Amino acid sequence: MPYTDDHHALAAQIMRRVDGFPGYALVSGVPVDDLTPEQACVFAPELLKSVGDPLPQGPEGAMTLGWLVRDEGSSRFRPDGTYRPGVYTSKSADGLDIHNDGAMSPHGHEVDMFGLLCLGAAPVGGESTLIRTHAVIDVLRREYPREFERLCQPYAFERSHVAQSGQAPVMWAPIFDVGGARPRVRCNRQRVEMAPAITGVPLDAGDLAALDALDEVLGRPALQYRLTLAKGDLLVVDDHAVLHKRGAFTDDRAAGQRRCLVRVLLVRREAGADA
């Protein structure tokens, strides 16, 4: 849909798609040409506050409502291929596995939606992949019933990079909670595989079989929708209805081509509350 500076009207259009089919909305033509990344981190939450309430994110003591997603030299991998703890994967050029942004309840928040405002695309890579949760659950129930049952029971998630002082570095929760009107999802295999280093409880064969079944379904091209965000695009996603991943990318900073987005995490507003 095209951008309009009537943000209340735009929010209504966005929410019709986010709350219905397909669970996300893509807005084009957002005016970002004259914005620095720092200014865009203020503009994006202001734009989206008619959609939901923006949530603070980032390291304790330096939290912000708009979070820059760009390569700042981080990598989630050590040289031996194991995961590096404490790394914000949003600050790397690595490809990311399919996940949802609220999987680890960052800073104690329950994330309902997120927005990504694109300030610049990489010359190579950076494709996004979206997968509807309901389709994944339908396949798992039909083809992997035993594994799906395990996925509906608690796993430990490592969350040290999004835990404030006094908050536990690990949380326990099911990957799929289908008991309510809307499924609640916590999908991030990397953080599940990192948790045993803290809990001392290794993943057993049943745990791994369920995760492997989930990965097999998530990897099916027929369930995936792929797109590459362009400058001025705004993607708004229901964090539980749609899972996502990002392909690895390469910037060309000498040519001024750098993948840079602003992420805004959102919680649904109470009915009747003012924007």
Side-chain angles (χ1 to χ4, degrees):
M1 67 187 73
Y3 171 79
T4 170
D5 60 7
D6 183 343
H7 292 171
H8 286 281
L10 183 63
Q13 294 182 59
I14 288 172
M15 290 308 297
R16 279 196 290 271
R17 290 162 175 79
V18 170
D19 277 344
F21 184 84
Y24 65 89
L26 181 62
V27 180
S28 61
V30 180
V32 298
D33 286 342
D34 295 330
L35 298 178
T36 66
E38 293 72 25
Q39 290 170 332
C41 284
V42 176
F43 172 73
E46 186 68 18
L47 188 165
L48 287 168
K49 71 179 184 180
S50 294
V51 172
D53 293 324
L55 296 169
Q57 51 188 314
E60 190 170 7
M63 300 185 77
T64 178
L65 298 180
W67 177 255
L68 282 178
V69 177
R70 66 184 181 186
D71 179 23
E72 296 182 0
S74 299
S75 175
R76 64 186 179 130
F77 298 109
R78 296 188 179 103
D80 64 0
T82 59
Y83 295 123
R84 195 189 306 271
V87 170
Y88 289 97
T89 54
S90 56
K91 300 295 188 182
S92 77
D94 297 338
L96 302 183
D97 304 323
I98 294 173
H99 65 284
N100 65 318
D101 283 6
M104 287 80 67
S105 296
H107 310 294
H109 300 303
E110 294 302 320
V111 178
D112 293 321
M113 300 169 283
F114 69 88
L116 287 173
L117 175 61
C118 183
L119 308 182
V124 178
E127 180 183 62
S128 297
T129 300
L130 307 178
I131 300 179
R132 283 179 51 81
T133 301
H134 280 291
V136 174
I137 290 174
D138 286 347
V139 174
L140 286 167
R141 278 177 161 157
R142 184 172 64 252
E143 299 183 20
Y144 295 101
R146 180 180 300 177
E147 290 79 5
F148 179 68
E149 182 179 354
R150 173 64 190 94
L151 294 168
C152 293
Q153 299 168 7
Y155 278 86
F157 291 80
E158 187 272 342
R159 62 186 299 272
S160 58
H161 66 306
V162 292
Q164 295 186 14
S165 299
Q167 293 179 337
V170 169
M171 63 170 290
W172 290 82
I175 291 174
F176 296 110
D177 181 352
V178 295
R182 289 173 174 265
R184 304 290 289 181
V185 185
R186 300 182 190 275
C187 181
N188 193 315
R189 181 163 184 167
Q190 172 183 334
R191 301 297 171 179
V192 170
E193 292 182 341
M194 293 174 72
I198 300 175
T199 64
V201 181
L203 296 168
D204 64 25
D207 299 332
L208 293 171
L211 292 170
D212 289 345
L214 176 59
D215 281 351
E216 191 278 316
V217 175
L218 292 174
R220 297 185 183 186
L223 299 183
Q224 300 177 351
Y225 174 67
R226 297 175 180 171
L227 72 160
T228 299
L229 295 177
K231 186 175 184 179
D233 283 349
L234 171 65
L235 179 68
V236 183
V237 177
D238 183 316
D239 195 52
H240 295 276
V242 177
L243 305 174
H244 65 284
K245 72 172 182 176
R246 179 193 76 203
F249 63 91
T250 303
D251 289 331
D252 186 347
R253 298 194 189 187
Q257 294 179 289
R258 184 179 187 185
R259 188 179 192 271
C260 183
L261 302 94
V262 177
R263 182 182 68 196
V264 181
L265 303 179
L266 299 161
V267 65
R268 291 178 182 274
R269 189 172 295 111
E270 295 285 340
D274 293 332

